[in-house]
Amino acid sequence: MSEKKSVYKPKPVSGFPEWLPEVRLVEQQWLDHIRKIFESYGYCSIETPAVEELNVIQAKGGDGGADVDKEVYIIERLHREDGDKEARLALHFDQTVPLARYVAQHFNDLIFPFKRYQMQKVWRGERPQSGRFREFYQCDIDVINVDNLPPHFDAEMPAIIWEILTALPGMQKEKIQLQINNRKILLGLFSEILSPLDQAEVLRVLDKRDKLPPAEFQKQLDAVLKKHLTSPFQLGDVTNDLNELFEFRDGIVQADIHEQINLLKAIAAHKFKSPSKEFHEGLEELVFVMQNLAHLPPNAVVADFFMVRGLDYYTGTVYETRFIDDPGYGSICSGGRYDDLAGNYINKHLPGVGISIGFSRLFDRLRQQGKLPVDRVSPTDILVTLMDEEGRAIAAKKAKQLRELGFNVELFHKGANPKKQFEYAEKKGIPFVFVPKQDAPGVWEVKNMQTREQKPEKEGLDELEKFRAA
Amino acid sequence: MSEKKSVYKPKPVSGFPEWLPEVRLVEQQWLDHIRKIFESYGYCSIETPAVEELNVIQAKGGDGGADVDKEVYIIERLHREDGDKEARLALHFDQTVPLARYVAQHFNDLIFPFKRYQMQKVWRGERPQSGRFREFYQCDIDVINVDNLPPHFDAEMPAIIWEILTALPGMQKEKIQLQINNRKILLGLFSEILSPLDQAEVLRVLDKRDKLPPAEFQKQLDAVLKKHLTSPFQLGDVTNDLNELFEFRDGIVQADIHEQINLLKAIAAHKFKSPSKEFHEGLEELVFVMQNLAHLPPNAVVADFFMVRGLDYYTGTVYETRFIDDPGYGSICSGGRYDDLAGNYINKHLPGVGISIGFSRLFDRLRQQGKLPVDRVSPTDILVTLMDEEGRAIAAKKAKQLRELGFNVELFHKGANPKKQFEYAEKKGIPFVFVPKQDAPGVWEVKNMQTREQKPEKEGLDELEKFRAA
């Protein structure tokens, strides 16, 4: 088997990330932490298959809207037989479409409000040259209820996300901020000047305000307004009024919200004649949510009247989350309230609210910046050394005992001199090494690889307990 | 939104299982348990992408051998542009091919012996009518080393698997047994009567001994022997000799192994002339592994000279695992030692040994038999009741305190009478409910939903601590 062979040297597949063990270990810490917080609020886990029927995937309503079709991966058996009459299957590109399908399909077996979290990989067939991930983890929570969903869930989402993001290993020093808004506010403002069907189109353009160069944004805004303005409104007036609104402070902290809302109301009454009931409802809901987030630090969550999300299916509260120092990164975590997500699949009225962490992109950002606490190549807490084959039975027994105490324990794989075994522990980031005491069979000493001190077993075990508690 | 709409009623996709939340919760307990035991032996986690290049998937060596090609799912962008010159991608059908590719690709960044576990979904495009899973979890461990892999790893695999399978929730009462063998034993016997290249083909037929009707098995065995026998051996003689061997006891416990091996040696010397060095090596390795499993119960692991696994790439130790009362189920968990798995991708000699739990099939068996401890619909430990909106701030504060103690806590979603809230806790299997004491704002009582007793908070918290420790 030792002759040189012709080998097929595999390359990474663009857009499908994979990590070395030491990075994967931190990824597991992230996933565990997120799961723990989700569960601490009583959300249950579900997993849906990687695939859905293409019909389901293409039904309107998913994250990404019309553009998503381009990104769908279909799957097919390599050797499909002619007689097969199966529905076409596609990999899911988000967890919202599968959730809607799941709730409709299992409606009679679920307990509402249905609070679920879902942490799976999703796939998007981005153009290969885009440099984006084509496979990535999303971590979502949603609550869905029948007919009516109490508004305090709109406040629970940002509270959970704040708790998660500020305590992820490596994220503690990052300055982040959640932005919150209610789509009804702008929709209400526009209800007088645009026909209802066109309002969402204007919101899609407004969503690009931070992403486009100012002139290009103005051009697109003018174009969409010109197309849809109802009389007697004039393009020039409306554009000016909107630009005046844009002067409004983004990022309104809770203490200022009432004052800012009164200002907005005054401008709205003056410029946009009589803003609809929807406008006032949106403001009330926004205030309610902000009040229910009063326990968070003052800058954790801010209101922003112009953050609208580009997706049509949001109907009220919307969320985005930014790095304060790096707004260009876009949103770490986004979501909102929807009126009736599963309406394509079931004749029930099922309003919901949800939020989604773009996990892999965020994780990879911190990885690339060297901010992840990557220090262990394996989960092993203790290496039990093996001096020679004769010592194996005693060493194996010690390893077993230590496992029963709840530690992760590796027995060195062959008899070798201690130096070599310490080097192995060093390379793998194993923090403690058990060494047999010379000329005292069955007696062990414990080397702490950080302090380099070697102590009697009992003291070593105390240090191990401290290490575990940390 | 309340008018009746035409809806697309989604159906389950055959072969792609999904569970209700209460079943998923047990599935998570299984996955957590398996991970914990894998890590307690110092195995690190890796995850590989769902896809590999089709070239890699089709390279020889994977689990399933030649048949696998039929089961491969390829993926393709729904709207592929003509200019795309990408490699064809396929979903992985096991975790062994991805491991081989991973080790070759990251060879310089890994520490050897490389001990990894992997718990991911795999996909097989089975014929739709087969009723088999097309998406399922596998839980694998493997150790790979450079040039030489110490034999005690062959004993570590069954020890880990025994620890896992006997403690999975719902599996504690199942009678299971690991079977172990070494392929070199039969290969060594055959080395005199068959040319080397054909020995694996005979083993593939022998692997079907329990799966085929006896006459059909005999027919296939005769056919393959007839094709490959070297002179001066005669088909009739060899068939008779083999049938005599088959009388040999399956399931040899450790206490009997030496006696049985001596018997086998005697028969081999008599019938098959001079069995090769390989034959004796195989016997020695088998004895070594059995001796290193002496700490397990007497019937946990048995030797079986005729269990050979159908896959060509195993070169020594092989494992299967059966339900003693239901041998027809096939193997719960299988694996073995291979000489050089990554040889297609790298010019290194990388022997390894591994074992794989067919997770989803096993889990679904116990689910269908009603053996899983399915009793909670959510991870919530405590429901904090909410009598009316005025009480929300106090209730939310209590929920937060309890979360800080490490409990999973749900605040009831709206003001409602206590009866309704108890019913909700009952339906979701939430074990404890916090109720405000009448006429004593800020004072709480704790109802244990199992005993139906309502006690002061302090006593309730003691019961909660006991519940958590259980």
Side-chain angles (χ1 to χ4, degrees):
Chain A
M1 287 278 182
S2 58
E3 77 280 18
K4 291 276 164 186
K5 293 157 293 189
S6 91
V7 299
Y8 175 77
K9 177 92 182 122
K11 319 170 280 304
V13 183
S14 155
F16 291 84
E18 78 183 356
W19 313 129
L20 288 171
E22 54 270 35
V23 177
R24 167 67 182 158
L25 204 143
V26 183
E27 186 180 52
Q28 287 183 298
Q29 290 170 357
W30 276 42
L31 292 167
D32 289 345
H33 170 70
I34 295 172
R35 171 181 167 189
K36 183 168 151 259
I37 306 291
F38 285 166
E39 292 187 351
S40 79
Y41 283 81
Y43 287 74
C44 70
S45 168
I46 69 166
E47 273 197 359
T48 60
V51 303
E52 300 284 339
E53 286 185 17
L54 186 59
N55 282 337
V56 169
I57 291 270
Q58 287 183 317
K60 195 174 151 53
D63 182 6
D67 286 349
V68 141
D69 215 43
K70 283 191 218 138
E71 299 180 353
V72 167
Y73 274 121
I74 52 160
I75 74 166
E76 209 158 76
R77 293 197 291 148
L78 183 57
H79 297 290
R80 202 178 146 92
E81 284 132 51
D82 285 342
D84 291 358
K85 284 246 173 56
E86 295 183 83
R88 291 186 85 185
L89 301 176
L91 294 174
H92 56 216
F93 59 86
D94 73 358
Q95 299 180 128
T96 308
V97 171
L99 171 65
R101 195 265 313 146
Y102 182 96
V103 169
Q105 193 174 315
H106 302 288
F107 181 80
N108 292 322
D109 296 313
L110 300 178
I111 296 167
F112 292 91
F114 180 54
K115 302 173 72 175
R116 86 85 178 80
Y117 71 90
Q118 202 164 344
M119 301 166 65
Q120 293 185 246
K121 285 179 178 162
V122 303
W123 293 270
R124 295 193 185 172
E126 303 262 0
R127 298 173 63 86
Q129 55 274 43
S130 76
R132 293 214 200 144
F133 286 150
R134 299 161 130 196
E135 173 181 82
F136 52 97
Y137 272 111
Q138 277 193 342
C139 302
D140 292 11
I141 30 171
D142 288 81
V143 193
I144 291 182
N145 204 14
V146 184
D147 293 330
N148 189 294
L149 184 73
H152 85 269
F153 283 119
D154 296 47
E156 190 163 275
M157 299 288 137
I160 292 173
I161 292 302
W162 180 258
E163 202 171 327
I164 286 173
L165 292 180
T166 53
L168 281 170
M171 274 288 286
Q172 294 93 338
K173 289 184 187 162
E174 299 297 298
K175 292 197 196 95
I176 58 162
Q177 189 168 64
L178 280 93
Q179 293 161 301
I180 191 166
N181 192 21
N182 194 301
R183 281 192 140 209
K184 290 181 189 173
I185 299 169
L186 285 183
L187 287 175
L189 270 185
F190 293 146
S191 64
E192 287 283 308
I193 60 172
L194 297 172
S195 70
L197 282 172
D198 307 321
Q199 294 168 14
E201 199 176 336
V202 177
L203 292 197
R204 274 202 298 278
V205 174
L206 284 180
D207 183 50
K208 300 183 197 165
R209 193 163 67 105
D210 293 336
K211 294 160 197 157
L212 294 177
E216 175 61 24
F217 169 69
Q218 195 64 55
K219 199 175 128 197
Q220 292 197 13
L221 184 64
D222 284 353
V224 70
L225 286 172
K226 194 171 171 184
K227 213 164 81 191
H228 298 306
L229 267 187
T230 51
S231 65
F233 296 93
Q234 300 294 320
L235 180 62
D237 295 344
V238 170
T239 302
N240 284 343
D241 293 347
L242 276 177
N243 279 329
E244 196 168 322
L245 272 185
F246 292 153
E247 298 296 310
F248 237 80
R249 267 178 62 195
D250 303 336
I252 304 161
V253 298
Q254 215 234 321
D256 297 340
I257 187 104
H258 285 288
E259 182 198 350
Q260 294 292 314
I261 278 179
N262 286 335
L263 270 172
L264 181 70
K265 279 182 185 170
I267 294 174
H270 178 63
K271 301 281 185 190
F272 293 85
K273 308 292 173 320
S274 54
S276 67
K277 187 166 150 269
E278 201 179 9
F279 171 78
H280 292 286
E281 247 179 48
L283 290 173
E284 271 164 41
E285 289 174 11
L286 181 61
V287 168
F288 176 87
V289 173
M290 289 293 281
Q291 276 169 347
N292 275 277
L293 292 167
H295 63 288
L296 298 181
N299 279 301
V301 184
V302 295
D304 177 343
F305 299 134
F306 301 102
M307 187 277 291
V308 291
R309 304 288 301 139
L311 308 180
D312 293 356
Y313 62 75
Y314 293 124
T315 50
T317 304
V318 281
Y319 318 102
E320 289 195 352
T321 315
R322 293 187 193 274
F323 287 108
I324 293 176
D325 304 333
D326 183 11
Y329 176 85
S331 183
I332 302 167
C333 163
S334 320
R337 177 180 269 255
Y338 37 87
D339 231 19
D340 193 21
L341 195 68
N344 288 316
Y345 312 121
I346 190 169
N347 267 315
K348 300 271 177 193
H349 180 215
L350 299 172
V353 62
I355 198 161
S356 172
I357 305 172
F359 181 95
S360 298
R361 190 165 162 253
L362 178 65
F363 182 77
D364 192 45
R365 176 186 201 263
L366 270 77
R367 185 187 69 84
Q368 290 193 29
Q369 293 176 333
K371 290 177 178 165
L372 297 179
V374 176
D375 51 6
R376 295 173 73 180
V377 180
S378 98
T380 305
D381 303 313
I382 302 170
L383 178 71
V384 175
T385 51
L386 183 65
M387 299 304 152
D388 48 39
E389 273 308 311
E390 287 67 50
R392 179 179 295 280
I394 291 179
K397 199 173 148 199
K398 177 49 67 184
K400 189 162 179 285
Q401 274 174 12
L402 292 168
R403 271 183 210 115
E404 283 161 6
L405 293 176
F407 294 109
N408 298 334
V409 185
E410 205 173 316
L411 175 61
F412 197 71
H413 49 281
K414 60 178 181 186
N417 71 49
K419 188 160 168 277
K420 194 169 168 187
Q421 301 186 56
F422 290 136
E423 279 169 12
Y424 177 81
E426 183 88 48
K427 272 199 295 184
K428 279 188 119 173
I430 300 174
F432 294 90
V433 180
F434 270 58
V435 189
K437 192 173 177 187
Q438 268 203 328
D439 304 322
V443 180
W444 295 85
E445 294 186 324
V446 184
K447 179 159 181 151
N448 179 325
M449 292 300 289
Q450 198 152 28
T451 63
R452 302 271 145 190
E453 284 180 296
Q454 191 161 320
K455 295 182 176 172
E457 181 172 4
K458 208 190 151 309
E459 288 169 51
L461 282 172
D462 290 344
E463 284 185 22
L464 263 156
E465 282 299 346
K466 275 183 215 148
F467 169 81
R468 169 149 66 180
Chain B
M1 289 276 180
S2 58
E3 77 280 18
K4 292 275 164 187
K5 294 157 290 189
S6 89
V7 300
Y8 176 77
K9 177 93 182 120
K11 319 170 281 300
V13 182
S14 156
F16 291 83
E18 79 183 355
W19 314 127
L20 288 172
E22 54 271 34
V23 176
R24 167 66 184 159
L25 203 144
V26 183
E27 186 180 51
Q28 287 182 299
Q29 290 169 358
W30 277 41
L31 292 167
D32 288 345
H33 169 71
I34 294 172
R35 171 181 166 188
K36 183 169 152 256
I37 306 293
F38 284 165
E39 292 187 352
S40 79
Y41 283 81
Y43 287 74
C44 69
S45 168
I46 68 165
E47 274 197 359
T48 60
V51 303
E52 299 284 341
E53 285 183 18
L54 186 60
N55 282 338
V56 169
I57 291 272
Q58 287 182 317
K60 195 174 149 57
D63 179 6
D67 286 347
V68 141
D69 214 44
K70 284 189 217 139
E71 299 180 354
V72 166
Y73 274 121
I74 51 159
I75 73 166
E76 210 157 75
R77 293 199 290 149
L78 183 58
H79 297 290
R80 204 177 146 92
E81 283 133 52
D82 284 343
D84 291 357
K85 284 245 173 57
E86 296 181 82
R88 289 185 86 185
L89 301 176
L91 294 173
H92 56 216
F93 59 86
D94 74 357
Q95 299 180 129
T96 308
V97 171
L99 171 65
R101 195 264 313 145
Y102 182 95
V103 170
Q105 192 173 315
H106 302 288
F107 181 81
N108 292 323
D109 295 314
L110 300 178
I111 296 166
F112 292 91
F114 179 54
K115 302 173 71 174
R116 86 84 177 82
Y117 71 91
Q118 202 165 344
M119 302 167 64
Q120 293 186 244
K121 286 179 178 162
V122 304
W123 292 269
R124 294 192 186 173
E126 302 264 0
R127 298 172 61 88
Q129 55 273 42
S130 76
R132 294 216 199 141
F133 286 151
R134 301 161 127 196
E135 172 180 83
F136 51 97
Y137 272 109
Q138 277 193 342
C139 301
D140 292 12
I141 32 174
D142 288 82
V143 192
I144 292 183
N145 205 14
V146 184
D147 292 332
N148 188 295
L149 183 72
H152 85 269
F153 283 119
D154 296 46
E156 189 164 276
M157 300 287 139
I160 292 174
I161 291 302
W162 180 258
E163 200 171 328
I164 286 173
L165 293 180
T166 52
L168 280 171
M171 275 288 287
Q172 294 93 337
K173 290 184 184 163
E174 301 296 300
K175 293 196 196 96
I176 57 161
Q177 189 168 64
L178 279 93
Q179 293 161 300
I180 191 166
N181 191 22
N182 194 303
R183 281 193 140 210
K184 291 181 188 171
I185 299 170
L186 284 183
L187 288 174
L189 271 185
F190 294 147
S191 63
E192 286 284 309
I193 58 173
L194 297 172
S195 70
L197 280 173
D198 308 321
Q199 294 168 13
E201 198 176 337
V202 178
L203 292 197
R204 272 202 299 279
V205 174
L206 285 179
D207 182 51
K208 300 183 196 165
R209 192 164 67 104
D210 293 336
K211 294 160 198 156
L212 293 177
E216 175 61 23
F217 168 70
Q218 195 63 53
K219 200 176 126 197
Q220 292 198 14
L221 185 63
D222 283 354
V224 70
L225 286 173
K226 193 171 172 186
K227 212 163 80 189
H228 299 304
L229 270 185
T230 50
S231 65
F233 295 96
Q234 300 294 320
L235 180 62
D237 296 344
V238 169
T239 301
N240 284 342
D241 293 347
L242 274 177
N243 279 329
E244 196 168 321
L245 272 184
F246 293 153
E247 297 296 310
F248 236 79
R249 265 179 64 195
D250 304 334
I252 304 159
V253 297
Q254 215 235 320
D256 297 341
I257 188 104
H258 285 287
E259 181 199 348
Q260 294 293 314
I261 278 179
N262 286 335
L263 270 173
L264 181 69
K265 281 183 182 166
I267 294 175
H270 179 62
K271 301 282 184 188
F272 293 85
K273 308 292 174 319
S274 54
S276 66
K277 186 165 151 272
E278 200 179 9
F279 171 79
H280 292 286
E281 245 179 50
L283 289 172
E284 272 164 41
E285 289 175 11
L286 181 60
V287 168
F288 176 88
V289 173
M290 289 293 281
Q291 277 168 346
N292 275 278
L293 291 167
H295 63 288
L296 298 181
N299 280 302
V301 185
V302 296
D304 177 343
F305 299 134
F306 302 102
M307 188 277 292
V308 289
R309 304 287 301 140
L311 307 181
D312 293 357
Y313 62 75
Y314 292 123
T315 50
T317 304
V318 282
Y319 317 102
E320 289 195 351
T321 315
R322 294 187 192 274
F323 287 107
I324 292 175
D325 305 332
D326 182 12
Y329 176 87
S331 184
I332 302 167
C333 163
S334 319
R337 178 180 269 255
Y338 36 89
D339 232 19
D340 193 22
L341 196 67
N344 288 315
Y345 312 122
I346 190 168
N347 268 317
K348 301 273 177 191
H349 180 215
L350 298 172
V353 61
I355 196 162
S356 172
I357 305 173
F359 180 96
S360 298
R361 190 165 161 253
L362 178 65
F363 182 77
D364 192 45
R365 177 188 200 263
L366 271 79
R367 185 187 68 84
Q368 290 192 28
Q369 293 177 333
K371 289 175 179 165
L372 297 180
V374 176
D375 51 6
R376 293 173 73 180
V377 180
S378 98
T380 304
D381 302 313
I382 302 169
L383 177 70
V384 175
T385 51
L386 183 64
M387 298 304 150
D388 48 40
E389 272 309 311
E390 286 69 51
R392 179 180 294 281
I394 291 178
K397 199 174 150 199
K398 177 49 63 183
K400 188 161 180 286
Q401 274 175 12
L402 292 167
R403 271 184 210 115
E404 283 161 8
L405 293 175
F407 294 108
N408 297 334
V409 185
E410 205 173 314
L411 176 59
F412 197 71
H413 49 282
K414 59 179 181 185
N417 70 50
K419 187 160 167 278
K420 195 170 167 184
Q421 300 185 57
F422 289 136
E423 279 169 13
Y424 177 82
E426 183 87 49
K427 272 198 297 185
K428 279 187 118 171
I430 300 173
F432 294 89
V433 181
F434 269 58
V435 188
K437 193 173 177 187
Q438 269 201 326
D439 305 321
V443 180
W444 295 85
E445 294 187 325
V446 184
K447 180 160 181 152
N448 180 323
M449 293 299 290
Q450 197 151 30
T451 63
R452 303 272 146 188
E453 282 180 296
Q454 190 160 319
K455 294 182 177 173
E457 181 171 4
K458 205 189 154 309
E459 289 168 50
L461 282 172
D462 289 345
E463 285 185 22
L464 264 157
E465 282 299 348
K466 275 183 214 148
F467 169 82
R468 169 150 66 181

